[in-house]
């Protein structure tokens, strides 16, 4: 029958029941796709009417009561979209539309198709059919590498299925079955020509205020990230057990690198993109980040493997249906509640450990962009800093030779902002390497700065071990100094140095409004004086560069000006400390003695007031991040296309299901 379609004659000419019979037959996807791919230019013209007719009858069949016809029509449409695009990679979108539907009829055909899909998704049709509709839509959205070049999506913009996606997310049972595909589809549609024209999905997503829908989206994201975290933890425990760990402990840390390789779990950028779009576009979604969910140990639930799903890399598959469908799992009373933000922070702490391959680097960058949006939001900050809502958040820490692996048992219960700061400090400490991820460092330091601005504005005295943060950023300056030549060949290190110096300026100028005790303020001065050598060396370096004519002259001179108060502190206290040591005949002062000198000499210290320390540039996606998102969406699209192999809903299973109904 396919061969008749690819012949010149109208197949229904000699057999009026041709199309009826076609959709009762089991679809032969491989054959149909390969036929479409093998047609050459002249033949396309010859059989175009028949292809148009096939498309038209597929859409008609979606309205049939006979479920098998609907299943076969959906699968045939998938083969059509894929086959025509594979064949015509270089063709323009208009040629493809013409070949599939005929340009003059395209608008009506696509309107009919989208309406039928919409009613199948929103109606009471079987879950398998709904799943197949979403697979068809994902297939349609990802047929081109760059989704913005997929002209057919113009019709998906005009005939929106946004409400259908929301309906799936707001209903617990359909969310359990289809939530994952629905949020990925939404994230991709939002990225269609988002900088060139008005995208209705962006507009609609930004104004959703329906609580069940937003919560539903949060639940899907939470479960997908939880599943990833669990897979990582299982792998980690698997690697720690048995002979291998005994050998490692005997030989020391020789094998740390190998362990890291084995622990690599493939990241899930599609879910991260969906989380980003929700946080970035919809102010109301911020409240969902804080919704408490019982922290379910997914391993205790009996999961039935889905035999029809092809094996995909860890982390890219949606959570098993049992977990999504069963909100009432047995809960251990000792388990604390969790929320989307905590799960996201744990996820980020895993993907940010290793940024060597491109996917993980992109994931780490996207995690930091999401945290940037959160750190700028008033409501999110109020929740992060709320002293009455405390959590224990066990972040993953990178195994390093010079520190012991700390068990996560003794983590204190603290406001969530402490976990965000811990994550930033952890990243700063663990990525000082030859392939220096400058972009990620800039984002980390800016996130810390934004959180400090909020604390200063609202006079929040956070009980946090600020010393760890000071020590981390001073070591970062040390690293920049000792690798100046290599780093300057690739990066403007003065921009990062300026941000770090201004963090200290924030603490020096406004610390009395947000540091928890006067003792913390003394410790800040102690740390600056103790590490004065780093600041002295930084000053010499920026002075040298700013007095020479070169491309970094201006950037370096900004750092010179920013160092004025830090240098004043060092030049004021150092002689006092030396004189105290000389008078008392002590060669090495204790920390308490140095603090005593600091406390008794504050009143003679003169500092300059610096402007704009508590100001920051707000995040904006366009134009700075546009190129990043374009590449990211391309990569997600390729991955989705690979995973949406139609075999994920095996034909045999579907046909069996519907033949019994019929």
């Amino acid at each position: 029958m396919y061969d008749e379609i690819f012949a010149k004659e109208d197949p229904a000419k000699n057999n009026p029941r041709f199309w009826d019979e076609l959709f009762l037959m089991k679809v032969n996807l491989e054959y149909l796709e390969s036929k479409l791919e093998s047609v050459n230019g002249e033949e396309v013209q010859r059989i175009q009417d028949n292809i148009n007719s096939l498309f038209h009858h597929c859409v008609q069949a979606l309205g049939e009561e006979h479920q098998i016809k609907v299943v076969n029509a959906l699968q045939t449409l998938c083969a059509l979209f894929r086959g025509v695009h594979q064949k015509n990679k270089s063709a323009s979108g208009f040629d493809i539309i013409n070949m599939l539907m005929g340009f003059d009829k395209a608008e009506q055909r696509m309107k009919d198709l989208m309406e039928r899909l919409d009613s199948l998704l929103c109606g009471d049709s079987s879950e398998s059919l709904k799943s197949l509709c979403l697979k068809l839509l994902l297939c349609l959205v990802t047929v081109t590498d760059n989704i913005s070049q997929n002209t057919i999506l113009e019709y998906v913009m005009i005939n929106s299925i946004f409400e259908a996606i929301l309906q799936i997310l707001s209903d617990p049972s359909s969310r359990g079955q289809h939530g994952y595909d629905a949020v990925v589809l939404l994230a991709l549609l939002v990225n269609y020509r988002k900088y060139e024209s008005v995208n209705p999905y962006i507009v609609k997503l930004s104004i959703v205020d329906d609580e069940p829908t937003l919560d539903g989206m949060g639940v899907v994201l939470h479960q997908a990230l939880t599943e990833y975290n669990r897979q990582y933890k299982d792998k980690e425990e698997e690697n720690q057990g048995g002979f291998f760990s005994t050998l490692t402990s005997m030989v020391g840390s020789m094998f740390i690198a190998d362990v890291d390789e084995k622990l690599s779990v493939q990241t899930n950028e599609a879910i991260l993109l969906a989380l980003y779009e929700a946080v970035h576009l919809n102010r109301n979604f911020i409240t969902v980040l804080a919704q408490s969910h019982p922290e379910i140990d997914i391993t205790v639930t009996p999961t039935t493997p889905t035999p029809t799903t092809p094996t995909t890399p860890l982390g890219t598959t949606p959570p098993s249906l049992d977990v999504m469908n069963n909100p009432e799992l047995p809960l251990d009373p000792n388990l604390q509640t969790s929320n989307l933000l905590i799960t996201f922070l744990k996820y980020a702490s895993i993907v940010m450990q290793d940024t060597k391959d491109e996917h993980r680097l992109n994931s780490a960058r996207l995690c930091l962009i999401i945290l940037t949006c959160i750190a700028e939001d008033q409501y999110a900050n109020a929740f992060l800093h709320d002293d009455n809502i405390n959590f224990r958040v066990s972040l993953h820490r990178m195994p390093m030779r010079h520190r012991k692996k700390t068990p996560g048992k003794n983590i204190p219960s603290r406001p969530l902002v402490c976990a965000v700061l811990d994550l930033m400090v952890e990243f700063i400490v663990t990525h000082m390497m030859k392939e220096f991820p400058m972009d990620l460092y800039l984002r980390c330091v800016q996130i810390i700065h934004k959180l400090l601005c909020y604390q200063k504005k609202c006079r929040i005295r956070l009980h946090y071990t600020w010393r760890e943060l000071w020590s981390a950023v001073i070591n970062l300056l040390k690293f920049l100094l000792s690798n100046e030549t290599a780093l300057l060949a690739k990066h403007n290190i003065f921009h990062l140095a300026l941000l770090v110096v201004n963090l200290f300026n924030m603490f020096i100028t406004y610390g009395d409004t947000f540091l928890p005790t006067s003792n913390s303020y003394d410790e800040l001065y102690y740390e600056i004086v103790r590490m004065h050598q780093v600041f002295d060396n930084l000053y010499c370096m920026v002075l040298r560069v700013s007095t020479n004519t070169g491309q970094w002259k201006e950037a370096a001179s900004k750092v010179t000006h920013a160092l004025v108060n830090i240098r004043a502190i060092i030049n004021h206290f150092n002689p006092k400390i030396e004189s105290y040591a000389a008078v008392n005949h002590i060669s090495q002062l204790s920390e308490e003695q140095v603090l005593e000198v600091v406390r008794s000499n504050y009143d003679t210290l003169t500092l300059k007031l610096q402007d704009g320390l508590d100001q920051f540039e707000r995040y904006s996606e366009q134009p700075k991040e546009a190129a990043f998102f374009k590449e990211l969406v391309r990569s997600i699209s390729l991955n989705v296309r690979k995973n949406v192999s139609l075999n994920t809903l095996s034909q045999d299973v579907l046909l069996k299901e519907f033949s019994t109904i019929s």
Side-chain angles (χ1 to χ4, degrees):
M1 292 183 89
Y2 289 149
D3 287 342
E4 284 185 52
I5 296 171
F6 284 86
K8 197 176 177 183
E9 292 290 315
D10 172 3
K13 190 174 172 185
N14 300 322
N15 176 5
R17 292 190 47 76
F18 179 86
W19 298 110
D20 274 339
E21 289 167 8
L22 179 73
F23 294 111
L24 288 168
M25 307 268 188
K26 184 174 168 179
V27 179
N28 186 337
L29 291 169
E30 288 76 13
Y31 188 78
L32 182 52
E33 279 186 52
S34 63
K35 280 296 269 188
L36 284 161
E37 283 176 47
S38 65
V39 178
N40 65 35
E42 285 177 16
E43 283 178 294
V44 170
Q45 301 296 320
R46 200 163 47 85
I47 58 157
Q48 186 178 312
D49 287 349
N50 288 357
I51 301 287
N52 290 176
S53 200
L54 173 60
F55 189 93
H56 170 59
H57 284 95
C58 281
V59 176
Q60 297 268 275
L62 294 183
E64 293 267 1
E65 277 180 32
H66 205 308
Q67 300 284 282
I68 281 190
K69 285 188 174 180
V70 181
V71 171
N72 287 331
L74 285 167
Q75 297 198 336
T76 306
L77 281 166
C78 276
L80 268 173
F81 284 128
R82 284 209 297 235
V84 170
H85 277 91
Q86 281 303 108
K87 164 72 199 147
N88 297 284
K89 280 204 163 139
S90 57
S92 77
F94 300 116
D95 293 338
I96 284 173
I97 290 170
N98 202 26
M99 182 174 174
L100 275 172
M101 305 164 237
F103 207 68
D104 51 339
K105 301 189 188 76
E107 206 166 312
Q108 188 58 47
R109 295 276 184 271
M110 282 303 293
K111 182 172 184 286
D112 295 344
L113 172 63
M114 296 308 291
E115 280 173 2
R116 299 257 157 93
L117 290 175
D118 189 80
S119 60
L120 285 168
L121 286 170
C122 296
D124 49 9
S125 49
S126 99
E127 297 306 336
S128 312
L129 261 188
K130 289 183 180 180
S131 186
L132 201 50
C133 289
L134 286 167
K135 297 274 185 264
L136 170 62
L137 286 161
L138 283 168
C139 163
L140 168 57
V141 173
T142 59
V143 280
T144 53
D145 292 357
N146 175 355
I147 65 169
S148 293
Q149 287 172 352
N150 185 352
T151 320
I152 297 179
L153 291 186
E154 283 298 331
Y155 301 112
V156 183
M157 295 294 129
I158 300 164
N159 306 288
S160 168
I161 44 145
F162 184 80
E163 283 70 23
I165 294 173
L166 291 201
Q167 189 176 316
I168 289 168
L169 293 174
S170 60
D171 172 64
S173 90
S174 71
R175 176 171 72 229
Q177 299 266 356
H178 318 294
Y180 185 88
D181 281 349
V183 293
V184 172
L185 177 63
L186 181 58
L188 289 168
L189 288 170
V190 161
N191 278 278
Y192 172 73
R193 297 193 179 163
K194 56 156 54 164
Y195 308 121
E196 298 147 45
S197 56
V198 178
N199 177 324
Y201 290 84
I202 293 180
V203 178
K204 289 179 176 183
L205 179 57
S206 64
I207 55 175
V208 176
D209 58 0
D210 175 58
E211 222 172 293
T213 306
L214 292 170
D215 289 351
M217 194 183 291
V219 168
V220 174
L221 297 170
H222 184 254
Q223 281 162 335
L225 295 176
T226 303
E227 175 75 358
Y228 174 94
N229 295 350
R230 184 187 64 75
Q231 289 178 356
Y232 179 84
K233 197 167 163 232
D234 289 353
K235 252 191 154 187
E236 196 176 37
E237 282 166 6
E238 191 184 300
N239 279 321
Q240 280 165 0
F243 169 74
F244 186 76
S245 73
T246 326
L247 186 67
T248 310
S249 54
M250 277 165 29
V251 189
S253 308
M254 276 168 57
F255 296 113
I256 276 178
D258 305 335
V259 180
D260 284 354
E261 290 308 307
K262 291 189 174 173
L263 280 182
S264 192
V265 179
Q266 185 168 338
T267 51
N268 190 337
E269 282 110 333
I271 281 295
L272 270 192
L273 179 69
L275 175 59
Y276 163 75
E277 296 297 359
V279 167
H280 177 231
L281 293 173
N282 190 303
R283 286 295 314 278
N284 304 310
F285 188 78
I286 292 286
T287 58
V288 175
L289 292 172
Q291 296 280 346
S292 291
H293 302 274
E295 198 168 63
I296 294 162
D297 184 359
I298 295 185
T299 46
V300 300
T301 64
T303 55
T304 46
T306 322
T308 52
T309 308
T311 48
T312 49
L314 242 54
T316 57
T317 49
S320 71
L321 293 183
D322 294 23
V323 179
M324 305 275 280
N325 280 339
N326 185 359
E328 301 300 324
L329 290 169
L331 287 182
D332 177 340
N334 301 323
L335 278 177
Q336 67 156 1
T337 55
S338 178
N339 58 36
L340 177 52
L341 187 53
I342 293 174
T343 306
F344 167 65
L345 289 172
K346 288 181 181 178
Y347 178 90
S349 72
I350 297 171
V351 297
M352 282 163 64
Q353 285 180 31
D354 167 22
T355 53
K356 289 188 192 75
D357 79 60
E358 196 186 351
H359 283 289
R360 296 177 89 75
L361 184 67
N362 284 342
S363 282
R365 181 176 296 163
L366 190 47
C367 286
L368 288 170
I369 291 175
I370 293 168
L371 282 171
T372 302
C373 296
I374 290 170
E376 285 183 8
D377 186 90
Q378 283 291 97
Y379 178 83
N381 264 312
F383 170 73
L384 284 174
H385 290 87
D386 190 333
D387 213 12
N388 301 311
I389 315 174
N390 294 333
F391 293 93
R392 287 188 178 83
V393 184
S394 56
L395 299 173
H396 290 264
R397 284 159 64 88
M398 207 197 255
M400 291 178 83
R401 288 178 176 79
H402 61 273
R403 67 175 183 188
K404 286 194 171 77
K405 191 165 171 61
T406 49
K409 295 279 181 286
N410 313 323
I411 302 163
S413 196
R414 305 174 296 171
L416 266 179
V417 68
C418 296
V420 179
L421 290 166
D422 283 351
L423 182 63
M424 298 301 99
V425 170
E426 173 66 12
F427 181 85
I428 289 168
V429 171
T430 52
H431 288 76
M432 296 180 218
M433 51 198 184
K434 202 166 66 182
E435 286 300 315
F436 187 70
M438 172 62 89
D439 172 64
L440 303 189
Y441 268 98
L442 290 169
R443 292 177 197 273
C444 267
V445 177
Q446 285 166 333
I447 288 166
I448 296 169
H449 178 237
K450 286 171 183 181
L451 295 171
L452 290 181
C453 290
Y454 180 81
Q455 289 164 28
K456 178 250 165 186
K457 188 175 93 176
C458 300
R459 295 183 169 263
I460 291 168
R461 298 189 183 278
L462 187 68
H463 288 272
Y464 182 71
T465 42
W466 291 112
R467 253 189 154 158
E468 285 181 13
L469 186 137
W470 299 329
S471 158
V473 289
I474 289 172
N475 281 326
L476 173 57
L477 290 176
K478 213 162 153 184
F479 175 81
L480 296 180
L481 287 164
S482 48
N483 295 278
E484 178 196 345
T485 319
L487 289 171
L488 270 179
K490 294 182 185 172
H491 308 290
N492 173 3
I493 59 173
F494 302 106
H495 182 35
L496 180 56
L498 179 66
L499 292 176
V500 171
V501 169
N502 277 338
L503 277 189
F504 279 101
N505 285 331
M506 253 321 259
F507 283 105
I508 293 164
T509 312
Y510 301 118
D512 58 336
T513 64
F514 64 81
L515 282 170
T517 60
S518 58
N519 204 32
S520 334
Y521 205 64
D522 304 336
E523 284 175 358
L524 167 70
Y525 279 62
Y526 171 81
E527 208 58 33
I528 291 172
V529 172
R530 186 176 76 86
M531 300 301 285
H532 71 91
Q533 199 60 60
V534 176
F535 293 109
D536 292 345
N537 293 346
L538 177 64
Y539 182 72
C540 292
M541 190 250 276
V542 291
L543 196 62
R544 168 171 49 80
V545 176
S546 62
T547 47
N548 293 336
T549 51
Q551 72 175 115
W552 305 118
K553 183 181 167 76
E554 195 183 336
S557 70
K558 283 182 184 169
V559 184
T560 318
H561 297 309
L563 280 164
V564 59
N565 281 341
I566 293 176
R567 296 194 69 245
I569 290 167
I570 293 168
N571 294 336
H572 176 73
F573 288 108
N574 259 357
K576 303 266 191 298
I577 291 164
E578 282 161 18
S579 122
Y580 180 91
V583 169
N584 294 287
H585 308 292
I586 306 169
S587 59
Q588 190 75 44
L589 294 186
S590 70
E591 180 176 331
E592 203 35 63
Q593 288 167 323
V594 174
L595 284 169
E596 192 44 53
V597 176
V598 167
R599 284 186 198 111
S600 51
N601 286 286
Y602 272 135
D603 48 357
T604 50
L605 171 67
T606 316
L607 296 175
K608 285 191 175 167
L609 192 63
Q610 290 172 304
D611 289 333
L613 291 174
D614 57 347
Q615 306 294 311
F616 57 81
E617 189 186 343
R618 290 190 69 81
Y619 169 79
S620 95
E621 185 184 312
Q622 167 78 331
K624 281 188 184 169
E625 314 292 349
F628 166 67
F629 278 103
K630 199 172 169 183
E631 276 315 302
L632 182 77
V633 172
R634 178 188 291 264
S635 151
I636 291 169
S637 189
L638 290 170
N639 202 27
V640 169
R641 188 194 309 168
K642 229 171 25 202
N643 286 336
V644 179
S645 113
L646 276 169
N647 301 332
T648 42
L649 271 178
S650 117
Q651 282 181 303
D652 297 335
V653 173
L654 283 167
L655 294 174
K656 194 171 172 187
E657 179 184 335
F658 293 119
S659 51
T660 53
I661 295 171
S662 314

